[in-house]
Amino acid sequence: MKREQWGSRTGFILAAVGSAVGLGNIWRFPYMAYENGGGAFFIPYLFAMLTAGIPFMILEFTLGHKYRSGAPKTLKALNNRFEWLGWFQVMISAIIAFYYVVVIAWAISYAYFAFTQAWGEDSNGFFFGEFLGLADGSAPSNLGGLQWHLLLPLCLAWAASFFATYRGVKGGIEKVNKVLMPLLFVMVLLLIGRIVFLPGALNGINWLLEPDFSKIWDLKVWSAAYGQIFFTLSVGFAIMLSYASYLPEKSDINNNAFMTVLMNCGFSMLAGIMIFGALGYMANAQDKELTEVVSSGVGLAFVTLPTAINLLPAPGVMGPLFFLALVFAGISSHISISEAVTTGLMDKLGWSRQKTATIFCSTGLVVSLLFITQGGLLLLDLVDYFINNIALLGSCLLELLLVGWLCRLEDFRGHANRLSEFTIGAWWTICIRFVSIGILVVILFNNILGAFRENYGGYSNNEVTFIGWGMIALMLVVAIIINASSKKETTV
């Protein structure tokens, strides 16, 4: 059966950018920049983009285009013994899909609440108590009852991904991203255009951009910059391999990779200006220091910013705009995560796209119910920590080791260069083989050491062992079993 293709280069780039631009750009990057030297952080960040982000993106676009397959089949083509790594990456995507969609469901709910500021004056109590139902005794292993008001937004979020993956690359994913991505950028620019004129907003932006060059010599800052690049670009867990496998024969790989990475990083900068402008205004309105109001993660999006929205002029317009931006950023990423799993399963099982999308999305909806329970936030937090800080970075490292040291990198460089307007030289090989691998070894070693030294989030030993480490061990076992069964199939 002939493989699907993107309808246009613009469609592919918008889909790739849509995958990379996610909730982390809005709530993780600004705080990370602020915490790691402000404007000075952009030096290691840009260095990480040039030496890790762009080279890794070129690599995944090249592999996907060359082998015309999702992660398992591509890694099997590289080395028959490494199909398991492809399935490990697919499972990372599947697990992220199961919990990431819940945060989109929260954002959908808050887009509705924002018209009337239904969270009231105590946005903290509303979010954790009334909205999530987090109670004393809630734990990742003690989930409690379902929060039924979250079921409809959860179904809507899954429906968006189902529609896109069911309709296919050209008729679904491309069309959806051609609408979502321009709208997302327009909404963020509109919000910035209004926020920067508010009293105190420029002070907040100045807090973000003012460089503290003393931080440049701190290895933790460089580690944070590289970590953010790996987190944000959707590399190393099956997504970009899947997307690139649908590229037409003649595709400018190097240019596409540069544009995708630059647009993603540019959006992160815009998000930083938007968030810190709002926080600066909030600090000014409440007569507080910015350090007293700044935060990151779900606390920033669902506690701090609702408080800021209460203080904004025309909150019934600005609030829904902000949460719709979160919804659009989340959905475009979730579609790509779902597609990574769908592509891997289609390649392996020979199912039709419609059957695969239906089975995965309906299974995903059922599994996601775990995360809309009273203890769902805590389960999400623990699973997300181990997936992002251990499994994902480990997967990136293993892929780079395989391609960089067990394959002929020059062949892939030649493949990309033959198709591209400008060529990449020895710097690309050095970045893949030495720089990215070296940095990942340091970050992953520190993360594993940290996870063993102290239980993340204060969770119990049993929860960390069985839910965190146990999940990674189970993923590895399942991946290896699939790999072994594939070898039997080829020998029979």
Side-chain angles (χ1 to χ4, degrees):
M1 192 171 71
K2 192 173 186 293
R3 196 168 186 82
E4 295 173 80
Q5 285 190 1
W6 298 99
S8 65
R9 182 180 182 178
T10 305
F12 167 70
I13 290 172
L14 286 175
V17 171
S19 173
V21 167
L23 299 170
N25 296 67
I26 296 173
W27 73 37
R28 191 173 190 268
F29 174 81
Y31 184 79
M32 184 162 280
Y34 158 79
E35 209 178 31
N36 289 286
F41 178 72
F42 296 125
I43 295 171
Y45 183 73
L46 291 172
F47 193 79
M49 183 185 81
L50 292 170
T51 57
I54 291 170
F56 207 154
M57 191 67 78
I58 290 172
L59 175 67
E60 295 226 317
F61 281 3
T62 303
L63 293 175
H65 180 269
K66 184 178 172 70
Y67 293 105
R68 292 270 178 263
S69 308
K73 217 168 172 182
T74 295
L75 290 165
K76 185 181 181 181
L78 290 173
N79 188 312
N80 199 37
R81 289 170 296 178
F82 277 86
E83 185 187 352
W84 69 268
L85 179 57
W87 287 111
F88 186 70
Q89 292 186 351
V90 165
M91 281 185 273
I92 289 174
S93 285
I95 292 168
I96 292 174
F98 298 154
Y99 68 77
Y100 192 83
V101 71
V102 174
V103 186
I104 303 169
W106 299 345
I108 291 170
S109 299
Y110 266 65
Y112 173 70
F113 296 155
F115 284 105
T116 58
Q117 296 83 63
W119 48 73
E121 294 300 311
D122 180 13
S123 58
N124 186 74
F126 177 84
F127 178 65
F128 292 107
E130 204 173 316
F131 183 65
L132 294 184
L134 197 63
D136 291 340
S138 295
S141 56
N142 180 25
L143 296 175
L146 272 181
Q147 298 300 98
W148 289 101
H149 59 273
L150 282 168
L151 187 58
L152 177 59
L154 183 71
C155 290
L156 289 173
W158 269 113
S161 286
F162 173 67
F163 170 82
T165 47
Y166 185 91
R167 291 289 303 275
V169 170
K170 186 177 174 182
I173 299 168
E174 184 171 337
K175 279 188 175 173
V176 170
N177 277 288
K178 276 185 170 177
V179 174
L180 287 188
M181 281 300 99
L183 270 178
L184 175 61
F185 275 84
V186 167
M187 284 194 295
V188 169
L189 288 171
L190 282 173
L191 284 164
I192 290 171
R194 181 64 191 95
I195 287 168
V196 292
F197 292 106
L198 296 171
L202 292 178
N203 291 338
I205 295 166
N206 190 50
W207 264 95
L208 171 67
L209 299 179
E210 189 177 357
D212 176 2
F213 288 110
S214 66
K215 294 279 182 83
I216 290 287
W217 310 109
D218 188 344
L219 284 176
K220 284 182 182 174
V221 172
W222 287 83
S223 177
Y226 274 91
Q228 176 64 15
I229 284 291
F230 286 118
F231 284 130
T232 191
L233 290 179
S234 298
V235 288
F237 62 114
I239 292 174
M240 292 307 178
L241 289 174
S242 301
Y243 269 16
S245 74
Y246 299 110
L247 280 168
E249 284 293 334
K250 292 184 178 177
S251 296
D252 191 333
I253 288 172
N254 297 341
N255 237 329
N256 289 348
F258 265 83
M259 280 193 278
T260 301
V261 175
L262 290 172
M263 287 173 75
N264 170 72
C265 295
F267 182 84
S268 293
M269 308 272 189
L270 288 176
I273 291 167
M274 175 181 76
I275 295 295
F276 271 79
L279 293 177
Y281 169 70
M282 178 179 166
N284 182 76
Q286 295 182 335
D287 199 22
K288 291 180 178 177
E289 287 292 319
L290 188 95
T291 48
E292 294 178 53
V293 299
V294 71
S295 60
S296 70
V298 293
L300 170 71
F302 298 102
V303 176
T304 307
L305 285 169
T307 305
I309 288 164
N310 286 347
L311 304 167
L312 287 172
V317 176
M318 303 279 277
L321 255 186
F322 171 74
F323 284 107
L324 276 176
L326 271 189
V327 171
F328 288 0
I331 283 175
S332 61
S333 291
H334 193 258
I335 287 169
S336 70
I337 298 165
S338 302
E339 179 58 31
V341 183
T342 303
T343 300
L345 292 173
M346 284 193 303
D347 287 346
K348 175 72 175 176
L349 303 170
W351 290 349
S352 70
R353 169 172 286 281
Q354 289 72 24
K355 179 181 178 180
T356 314
T358 303
I359 289 172
F360 173 67
C361 290
S362 52
T363 304
L365 175 60
V366 173
V367 177
S368 296
L369 297 177
L370 290 169
F371 298 100
I372 60 164
T373 53
Q374 286 173 294
L377 171 66
L378 304 178
L379 179 64
L380 187 156
D381 182 45
L382 184 57
V383 170
D384 177 65
Y385 176 79
F386 275 89
I387 284 290
N388 268 314
N389 291 281
I390 311 292
L392 174 54
L393 293 179
S395 159
C396 286
L397 177 60
L398 287 169
E399 184 183 323
L400 289 175
L401 285 169
L402 166 63
V403 180
W405 290 96
L406 298 180
C407 300
R408 279 179 54 85
L409 262 185
E410 288 69 24
D411 292 348
F412 302 129
R413 192 172 84 192
H415 182 85
N417 285 344
R418 270 195 305 276
L419 297 162
S420 304
E421 287 175 13
F422 66 88
T423 58
I424 48 172
W427 72 272
W428 181 77
T429 308
I430 292 166
C431 290
I432 293 291
R433 190 169 278 169
F434 300 104
V435 180
S436 293
I437 287 175
I439 293 288
L440 273 171
V441 166
V442 172
I443 297 173
L444 188 59
F445 177 76
N446 282 334
N447 287 354
I448 293 171
L449 208 63
F452 275 117
R453 272 185 183 156
E454 55 188 71
N455 283 358
Y456 170 71
Y459 299 116
S460 72
N461 282 330
N462 284 344
E463 286 168 339
V464 169
T465 303
F466 290 107
I467 297 173
W469 293 112
M471 172 183 65
I472 293 175
L474 182 63
M475 289 161 65
L476 284 168
V477 169
V478 171
I480 290 165
I481 289 171
I482 297 171
N483 200 148
S485 70
S486 293
K487 280 184 182 175
K488 283 180 186 174
E489 284 169 20
T490 52
T491 55
V492 171

